[in-house]
Amino acid sequence: MVATAGHVDHGKSTLVRALTGADPDRLAEEKRRGLTIELGYAWMDLPGAGEVAFVDVPGHERFVSTMLAGVGPVPVAVLVVAADDPWMPQTAEHLAVLDALGVRHGLLVVSRADLADPVPALARARDELARTGLAGVPHVVTRAGDEAGLGALRQEVGAALARVLSDVPSPDPGADVRLWVDRVFHVRGTGTVVTGTLPAGTVREGDELAGPGGPVRVRRVESLGRRRDAVSGVARVALALVDRSPGAVAALGRGDALLSPGAFLAVDQVDVEVSGPDLDALPERPLLHVGSAQLEVHARPLAPGLARLRLDRPLPLRVGDRAVLRSTGDRVVRGVRVLDPRPPSLRRRGAARARAVDLAGLDGSTAADLRVRGLARDADLRRAGLDPARAPAGSVRAGGWVLDPARATAALELASAALADPGAADGLAPAELAKAARLPDPALLEPVLRGPGGPPGARLEDGRWRTGTPGAPDVPADLAPALALLQDELAAGPFVAASADRLRELGLDARALARLDRAGALLHLGGGVVVRAGADAQALAVLGELDQPFPVTAARTALGTSRRVALALLAHLDKGGRTVRLADDTRRLRT
């Protein structure tokens, strides 16, 4: 995908027509005035690069918002500068937009070199580009005054563009879909069609996508004028849609997004890093441009270069997203990078100042996010664009939560102190202990208390957490040899269980197993199923990685054990309130 940029009448549309043979200006008013008003699209098969689509944007200052809607999701830009014109304000604004959006791949084209010496225009453009992320991009000087000039333009620009495109990283076809809609129209016999630029992920016929009015189904997929079974980003796509809920398709318009269901947070405030001029004079009500969306926001500065934006309507934003802030009264363009799409409130005195310190430490990584937040749900991390698997070493995971190592250490200290209190001689209920440790879920107690540095003998016994070494009298001396043999056999894996015959061989009946369970020497799941101590906590960590809810077969496969053991473990977790059994016999972790 390639977007054009540059001042009005500097030859952007002429360039696209020369390369593709198609006219990107599709409106009668555009053809009458010789002026691009709306976004135009054309494509070609470029030798050395394959299929390439172009987004031709308006160059007039009155249509900057339209330009932003087209260029937002596009990774490559062609900046066109006319040799017979000076450096123009609109060219500067377009370049500022590209820089703010993080576009780092592009081509500089100096047009109309048959009308004036191109050297001054090229030198000025190079000087302006040097201060942006497009510094050092290749350039081509074109002369399109006759057929020979057009032929040279096609050859030289095409070859240069193919080299640029070869350096652009390929996006992940398995990524979550977020398609910003830039056009919505009706086609007789087909129904409602939306178009947009797909930056990553894959859209297939039959897919269900989430929209602002509810879910929709993709009836048909087209890209570059052809019907496709599936299209992966970066690509221009046209989707014919049908409702999956009443009015969902009719609710779509430019600036809305179609999403992988459940994959994004809909946020109405974000903390951002702001770049560009006059950071100390951030307007209170600027316009935010992200994807194809344009909306007014309330900007609250937190520190120079850091701000909280309150949006007029929710948007699906993630950590690292880039956008543009623009004030309506001038041409100042500021860049925005999302640092946190789920920020805390700022109600307490000094909260804004403390928040600025936290934001300065956010670098877009899962580790940094957890360090500032302390803990987060796996699902929320994913929806915010972070990978829970990249949590730092020493993190604690259970019940669908991730605890930063420092937060886990603090929770361990609080829980240990609560259990050591004389008033807790008979132990503490999981909910009570979780509250004392400032943990949102009792499921986190198991890995916290039984991890490194945990209090000796920490165990969940008779529905209460206790500490201390279980008393030796609870384990009869004649059972010690059998226990030692059994523990050696259970050490083969956390979800290995002895058979009923083996337990009989060892002389371990139901009463003996219950006493060993109370002592914390093993975990008796009932029905003669015995696993090693702590297996339930390890099972929670494994089950937390499954899609929720999950069937018994998926649990058994993930745990790598028999159905007998898997069912006993799940029943134990259900009883302890750490999993929830649903009506269809699937389960989910309690959140």
Side-chain angles (χ1 to χ4, degrees), residues 146-216:
D146 53 29
E147 189 56 41
L150 285 172
L153 181 154
R154 281 190 286 269
Q155 182 176 355
E156 294 174 17
V157 173
L161 197 52
R163 290 191 294 271
V164 169
L165 291 168
S166 68
D167 291 333
V168 179
S170 298
D172 179 8
D176 296 323
V177 169
R178 179 174 53 178
L179 179 71
W180 293 100
V181 174
D182 53 39
R183 290 177 64 203
V184 180
F185 51 93
H186 188 83
V187 175
R188 180 177 297 176
T190 299
T192 299
V193 175
V194 302
T195 66
T197 298
L198 181 67
T202 302
V203 177
R204 299 175 178 84
E205 286 194 7
D207 278 356
E208 183 174 296
L209 299 174
V216 300

Side-chain angles (χ1 to χ4, degrees), residues 422-428 464-466:
D426 194 36
L428 292 172
R464 299 179 75 81
W465 275 98
R466 311 172 192 274

Side-chain angles (χ1 to χ4, degrees), residues 173 202-208 218-219 221 228-232:
T202 302
V203 177
R204 299 175 178 84
E205 286 194 7
D207 278 356
E208 183 174 296
V218 179
R219 173 190 286 171
V221 180
R228 319 269 179 146
D229 293 330
V231 177
S232 298

Side-chain angles (χ1 to χ4, degrees), residues 392-416:
S395 298
V396 169
R397 304 185 67 174
W401 291 88
V402 187
L403 245 64
D404 177 71
R407 179 66 178 271
T409 299
L412 175 58
E413 292 172 354
L414 291 169
S416 299

Side-chain angles (χ1 to χ4, degrees), residues 546 550-561 563 566-567 570 585:
L546 298 177
F550 53 85
V552 173
T553 53
R556 183 186 66 79
T557 301
L559 295 171
T561 190
R563 182 176 177 83
L567 285 171
L570 291 171
D585 205 33

Side-chain angles (χ1 to χ4, degrees), residues 203-485:
V203 177
R204 299 175 178 84
E205 286 194 7
D207 278 356
E208 183 174 296
L209 299 174
V216 300
R217 183 174 63 83
V218 179
R219 173 190 286 171
R220 180 184 178 117
V221 180
E222 287 192 6
S223 182
L224 309 187
R226 289 166 42 202
R227 184 170 183 172
R228 319 269 179 146
D229 293 330
V231 177
S232 298
V234 176
R236 282 296 300 174
V237 295
L239 307 179
L241 304 175
V242 293
D243 284 332
R244 292 286 289 161
S245 61
V249 172
L252 287 169
R254 174 180 285 179
D256 291 325
L258 291 172
L259 313 166
S260 295
F264 289 82
L265 298 167
V267 301
D268 58 8
Q269 60 179 354
V270 288
D271 285 348
V272 300
E273 177 186 61
V274 184
S275 59
D278 300 329
L279 294 182
D280 292 329
L282 193 63
E284 184 179 356
R285 298 289 292 178
L287 292 175
L288 176 71
H289 300 265
V290 56
S292 60
Q294 171 189 303
L295 67 161
E296 197 174 62
V297 299
H298 177 272
R300 176 180 178 179
L302 302 176
L306 296 171
R308 173 161 296 184
L309 304 181
R310 192 171 69 245
L311 285 56
D312 282 357
R313 61 184 172 91
L315 289 179
L317 299 180
R318 282 182 165 181
V319 173
D321 281 345
R322 290 187 174 272
V324 169
L325 275 183
R326 197 167 59 94
S327 52
T328 55
D330 54 40
R331 290 182 172 177
V332 175
V333 172
R334 298 174 179 89
V336 161
R337 181 169 66 92
V338 174
L339 298 176
D340 191 348
R342 56 207 200 288
S345 65
L346 299 176
R347 292 177 184 156
R348 284 190 268 179
R349 184 184 297 273
R353 188 163 51 252
R355 182 60 177 162
V357 173
D358 286 344
L359 291 175
L362 292 180
D363 58 9
S365 68
T366 305
D369 186 87
L370 279 174
R371 186 170 58 250
V372 168
R373 199 174 299 279
L375 80 168
R377 286 185 171 90
D378 279 3
D380 286 344
L381 285 170
R382 292 190 186 95
R383 286 194 286 263
L386 300 169
D387 184 358
R390 295 184 177 272
S395 298
V396 169
R397 304 185 67 174
W401 291 88
V402 187
L403 245 64
D404 177 71
R407 179 66 178 271
T409 299
L412 175 58
E413 292 172 354
L414 291 169
S416 299
L419 289 169
D421 187 275
D426 194 36
L428 292 172
E432 185 180 3
L433 184 56
K435 182 178 180 180
R438 297 177 188 170
L439 292 173
D441 191 329
L444 289 164
L445 290 168
E446 184 94 32
V448 166
L449 288 169
R450 293 192 176 177
R459 64 200 182 278
L460 185 61
E461 179 181 285
D462 298 329
R464 299 179 75 81
W465 275 98
R466 311 172 192 274
T467 57
T469 304
D474 285 344
V475 182
D478 60 337
L479 290 183
L483 175 63
L485 290 171

